[in-house]
């Protein structure tokens, strides 16, 4: 399912949520009305019942405050769910992320977002290369003159961000694990699809001796894939691109030392 494609069942899920919350609101409102009736009756009888009635009134007031708080909370939840539903339906991912408190680097045409400035710099650079079709895939001209292959793209991204993996000797998928772990990266073994690892923007996915890509967010990676036309540059915009990957991985390299 694409970012803009919303299933009918998704709409139903939100509708059901709103319906449940509104049902709770109706019950709490009904309870509040009944408490008000009791409070009014107690007020009328207070002259005759004296201190006993006053104690009842105090307990009733406390109960009413509690119910009113519940109603207010339900109204807040209902509005939030309604706002989320609207953003989801309109594919307004920026506002949706703000509502959910999510910071993501999923927009491949804008600046990538990351908590760590060096990871952010690496992501921004790699995304910029992917969006610049003067750079394509090549193993012969792989260090930006003008092209890249899978490993040189990732290595160059972190090198220019100030994490000197290339200077330390990283040159291909064969030695990336060894060099990257000496430069502040943690090796997390296993394919995330199988281990359930939650990927973070900037994570380097590695199939040793085969392929590597960098995780951007929203289940997408930026990577150099293949030379489809035997020419410099990227004539169709798919030699270096951002997309979901079907590759299997030996593990993930995650930068943990700034």
């Amino acid at each position: 399912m694409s970012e803009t494609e919303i299933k009918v069942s998704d709409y139903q899920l939100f509708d059901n949520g709103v319906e449940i919350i509104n049902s709770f609101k109706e019950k709490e409102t009904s309870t509040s009305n009944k408490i008000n009736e009791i409070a009014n009756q107690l007020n009328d009888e207070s002259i005759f019942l004296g201190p006993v009635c006053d104690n009842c009134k105090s307990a009733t007031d406390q109960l009413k405050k509690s119910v009113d708080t519940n109603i207010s909370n339900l109204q807040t939840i209902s509005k939030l769910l309604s706002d989320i539903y609207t953003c989801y339906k309109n594919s307004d991912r920026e506002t949706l992320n703000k509502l959910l408190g999510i910071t993501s680097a999923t927009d491949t045409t804008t600046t990538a977002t990351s908590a760590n400035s060096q990871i952010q710099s690496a992501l921004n650079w790699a995304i910029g290369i992917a969006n610049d079709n003067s750079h394509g895939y090549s193993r012969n001209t792989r260090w930006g003159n003008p092209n890249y292959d899978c490993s040189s793209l990732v290595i160059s991204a972190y090198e220019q961000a100030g994490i000197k993996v290339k200077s330390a000797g990283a040159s291909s998928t064969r030695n990336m694990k060894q060099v990257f772990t000496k430069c502040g990266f943690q090796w997390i073994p296993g394919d995330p699809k199988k281990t359930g690892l939650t990927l973070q923007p900037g994570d380097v996915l590695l199939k040793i001796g085969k392929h590597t890509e960098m995780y951007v967010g929203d289940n997408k990676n930026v990577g150099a894939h293949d030379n489809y036309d035997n020419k410099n540059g990227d004539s169709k915009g798919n030699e270096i691109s951002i997309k979901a990957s079907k590759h299997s991985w030996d593990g993930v390299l995650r930068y943990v030392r700034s």
Side-chain angles (χ1 to χ4, degrees):
M1 187 174 69
S2 68
E3 292 185 20
T4 57
E5 186 180 354
I6 309 298
K7 296 183 296 184
V8 174
S9 60
D10 294 328
Y11 294 139
Q12 189 62 47
L13 177 65
F14 284 106
D15 288 340
N16 290 344
V18 172
E19 184 177 343
I20 291 170
I21 289 173
N22 286 339
S23 175
F24 278 120
K25 282 171 58 183
E26 290 175 4
K27 291 178 181 178
E28 292 285 358
T29 301
S30 176
T31 301
S32 179
N33 291 336
K34 290 179 181 179
I35 292 173
N36 283 333
E37 291 177 7
I38 294 172
N40 291 333
Q41 291 176 5
L42 287 171
N43 189 55
D44 293 339
E45 299 294 336
S46 61
I47 297 174
F48 305 102
L49 298 179
V52 174
C53 190
D54 290 340
N55 291 336
C56 292
K57 285 173 59 182
S58 177
T60 303
D61 288 342
Q62 291 180 7
L63 181 60
K64 186 176 186 305
K65 288 180 181 179
S66 176
V67 172
D68 289 345
T69 299
N70 289 343
I71 293 173
S72 177
N73 290 338
L74 286 167
Q75 289 173 336
T76 300
I77 294 171
S78 180
K79 183 179 185 306
L80 176 61
L81 189 60
S82 177
D83 290 344
I84 291 172
Y85 171 81
T86 300
C87 294
Y88 191 30
K89 185 172 67 173
N90 296 333
S91 297
D92 184 356
R93 304 187 72 82
E94 181 178 353
T95 303
L96 179 60
N97 285 346
K98 289 179 180 178
L99 287 171
L100 298 177
I102 296 172
T103 302
S104 178
T106 59
D107 187 347
T108 60
T109 62
T110 59
T111 301
T113 304
S114 172
N116 184 283
S117 61
Q118 288 176 295
I119 295 174
Q120 178 177 329
S121 176
L123 277 170
N124 291 343
W125 184 89
I127 289 171
I129 293 296
N131 289 331
D132 181 354
N133 289 339
S134 67
H135 303 286
Y137 182 98
S138 175
R139 292 185 179 180
N140 297 321
T141 55
R142 61 190 291 261
W143 292 108
N145 50 335
N147 307 305
Y148 296 89
D149 66 0
C150 66
S151 57
S152 64
L153 178 72
V154 174
I155 292 168
S156 297
Y158 274 106
E159 179 80 10
Q160 68 79 40
I163 304 172
K164 300 299 184 179
V165 288
K166 183 181 179 183
S167 300
S171 59
S172 72
T173 55
R174 292 180 177 84
N175 69 355
M176 282 177 62
K177 176 185 173 184
Q178 177 185 359
V179 177
F180 274 52
T181 52
K182 292 180 179 179
C183 294
F185 285 79
Q186 174 189 7
W187 173 249
I188 306 173
D191 189 331
K193 298 185 188 74
K194 297 178 180 178
T195 64
L197 175 70
T198 300
L199 293 173
Q200 299 177 6
D203 281 352
V204 176
L205 298 118
L206 180 63
K207 184 73 172 179
I208 298 172
K210 298 292 185 181
H211 189 56
T212 187
E213 296 178 1
M214 188 188 303
Y215 184 69
V216 173
D218 199 31
N219 294 317
K220 293 180 181 179
N221 305 332
V222 58
H225 309 295
D226 206 345
N227 187 347
Y228 297 111
D229 57 9
N230 294 316
K231 298 178 181 179
N232 284 330
D234 195 350
S235 60
K236 295 183 179 180
N238 59 359
E239 294 185 10
I240 302 177
S241 64
I242 299 120
K243 63 180 183 179
S245 174
K246 296 181 180 179
H247 289 280
S248 61
W249 308 103
D250 292 324
V252 174
L253 288 161
R254 175 173 294 169
Y255 188 62
V256 294
R257 187 181 73 225
S258 58

